[in-house]
Amino acid sequence: MRVPRFDAAGELVHDGPLIGAALTRVLASGRFIAGAEVDAFEREAAGFLGARHAVSVGSGTDALTIALQPAADRHPGGEVVTSPLTFAATASAIVRVGLRPRFADVDPDTLTLRPDLAAEATGPRTAAVLPVHLYGRAVDVTALRSAVGPGTPIVEDACQAFGARDAAGRACGTLGDAAAFSFFPSKPLGALGDGGLITTGDAELADEYRLIARHGCREQYRTERVGFNSRLDALQAAVLRVKLARVDQGRRRRAQIAALYAARLDSVPGLRLPADAPGHAWHAYTVRIAGGRRDTVLARLRARGIDAAVQYPVPLHRMAPFADPRPCPVAERACAELLCLPIWSGLGDDRIDYVAQELRDALRTAPVA
Ligand SMILES: Cc1ncc(COP(=O)(O)O)c(C=O)c1O
């Protein structure tokens, strides 16, 4: 049996005709940049999340970069406290606006930024704190806010967390001062290409983001500040409007898949399951395998047609562009142990059974390193 990590075409099965109609509508309009589809998507996404303002951009990386720019303007050369257990885009965005990442370790259960360690890492050089809702699990931003104090901007990396909610039921993207989302196809809300969104409750920030993403122009050909070009295409906006209607349904199915994995893998020796949380978006289902056996297990799963993945094998503070000798032992250990199992809303129960059975078998036979 083949179990891909994600099936972008399979995700479209239910929405195919609606997406076809949306694309045809945009083609007929001849308006491919900005316009009604993009405006409507921004409004509808903001409404869904409960965010006051939403600014669409070209990717999650752009969303992070733009969302950090006001903090960089206020603290040139300053630091952004963030997690080392994330995709490189989180730290690249920090560096691209002239700031430096300052890594604080993650919690061993949630694998997200620990508020107390984030607070320890903040100081006069801190320009912002950037928690990552890793795998679609909401960081406790309320705890983070009280740990770091009121004056420090909190920018959420919500790229993996569209539709995720915290313990109080508040949507990721409304928890900090601003948030960045990615619409990469495999994300909880995925486009048919690249796309991104910045949300904020602050009208002035939203205005600033829009200016940065539109070459600093409020009026055509009158640049007020240095910016660049970052836009969500009208075609992608139209697709995202269709898919937005099913975001919660997709999240519920992934939560069901997570529960099925948990039931089938409960008490398997040598396996640690991800901690559940009510509003988890389950962008990834990440187990942990200790004892140096993870790579053997991964190779065996791949040989059996299961596209499991290591997301991520190296923490960012151990990568040359972001190198920092300060240890983050929990993240380092997690990178050696974690394994992401296939999860997407169209994954059928038969394939979940197969993955669980193969994982149990692989663990039984893999020798401890
Ligand atoms: C945590 C995180 N941050 C940032 C990004 C960047 O998003 P994009 O690929 O849309 O630029 C991603 C997506 O891959 C991500 O997973």
Side-chain angles (χ1 to χ4, degrees):
M1 191 184 279
R2 280 268 307 122
V3 189
R5 173 135 167 65
F6 176 73
D7 179 359
E11 283 276 307
L12 299 179
V13 167
H14 298 297
D15 293 331
L18 287 175
I19 287 177
L23 293 175
T24 306
R25 187 175 70 231
V26 179
L27 294 181
S29 78
R31 184 82 198 252
F32 304 130
I33 299 287
E37 293 289 343
V38 176
D39 293 347
F41 172 68
E42 288 184 352
R43 252 193 335 270
E44 288 161 13
F48 176 89
L49 296 167
R52 279 211 192 93
H53 309 280
V55 179
S56 60
V57 294
S59 69
T61 307
D62 281 2
L64 282 168
T65 306
I66 295 164
L68 286 168
Q69 188 63 58
D73 291 346
R74 269 195 306 279
H75 288 269
E79 292 179 345
V80 177
V81 176
T82 193
S83 163
L85 184 53
T86 175
F87 183 51
T90 311
S92 297
I94 294 169
V95 175
R96 276 185 58 208
V97 295
L99 299 171
R100 280 182 304 131
R102 170 71 198 267
F103 297 107
D105 211 353
V106 296
D107 177 90
D109 291 324
T110 64
L111 297 181
T112 57
L113 191 62
R114 244 176 70 179
D116 56 334
L117 297 182
E120 258 173 43
T122 57
R125 283 197 297 269
T126 306
V129 178
L130 181 44
V132 181
H133 302 301
L134 191 71
Y135 308 137
R137 185 195 172 101
V139 173
D140 184 349
V141 176
T142 309
L144 185 64
R145 167 57 74 210
S146 58
V148 301
T152 311
I154 294 181
V155 177
E156 303 164 61
D157 182 336
C159 284
Q160 302 183 359
F162 198 99
R165 292 179 180 274
D166 71 2
R170 297 183 310 152
C172 288
T174 65
L175 308 175
D177 297 284
F181 290 98
S182 164
F183 300 132
F184 184 83
S186 64
K187 295 291 196 273
L189 177 59
L192 304 185
D194 279 313
L197 190 77
I198 312 169
T199 50
T200 179
D202 182 321
E204 271 177 41
L205 274 181
D207 189 51
E208 190 79 10
Y209 298 150
R210 224 175 264 287
L211 266 186
I212 295 168
R214 315 286 181 254
H215 276 301
C217 296
R218 221 179 295 272
E219 235 182 289
Q220 203 179 21
Y221 305 136
R222 299 205 188 274
T223 291
E224 294 173 31
R225 63 157 298 155
V226 173
F228 61 105
N229 165 27
S230 184
R231 294 187 282 236
L232 181 72
D233 292 345
L235 284 164
Q236 298 299 349
V239 170
L240 288 166
R241 290 182 71 196
V242 173
K243 295 188 78 181
L244 185 61
R246 279 190 193 271
V247 161
D248 263 337
Q249 197 178 323
R251 193 191 64 73
R252 280 197 298 275
R253 173 59 187 159
R254 289 193 305 278
Q256 206 176 45
I257 294 169
L260 290 172
Y261 273 140
R264 279 151 186 69
L265 296 169
D266 187 32
S267 313
V268 172
L271 190 67
R272 182 166 170 183
L273 301 181
D276 198 359
H280 205 315
W282 295 109
H283 170 60
Y285 187 85
T286 306
V287 298
R288 311 260 296 271
I289 299 165
R293 301 193 298 162
R294 191 266 317 274
D295 292 340
T296 313
V297 170
L298 172 61
R300 156 119 187 197
L301 292 180
R302 291 242 170 102
R304 305 287 294 159
I306 296 166
D307 191 15
V310 175
Q311 196 180 323
Y312 302 93
V314 182
L316 297 189
H317 66 297
R318 295 287 176 252
M319 291 187 190
F322 318 117
D324 188 330
R326 279 173 285 230
C328 288
V330 178
E332 284 159 37
R333 186 168 171 189
C335 286
E337 295 182 352
L338 58 84
L339 186 65
C340 306
L341 303 182
I343 187 166
W344 76 92
S345 62
L347 188 64
D349 291 10
D350 54 338
R351 294 209 241 189
I352 297 163
D353 290 343
Y354 178 69
V355 173
Q357 182 57 49
E358 289 297 330
L359 179 54
R360 281 199 301 268
D361 288 352
L363 280 161
R364 235 192 331 269
T365 52
V368 175

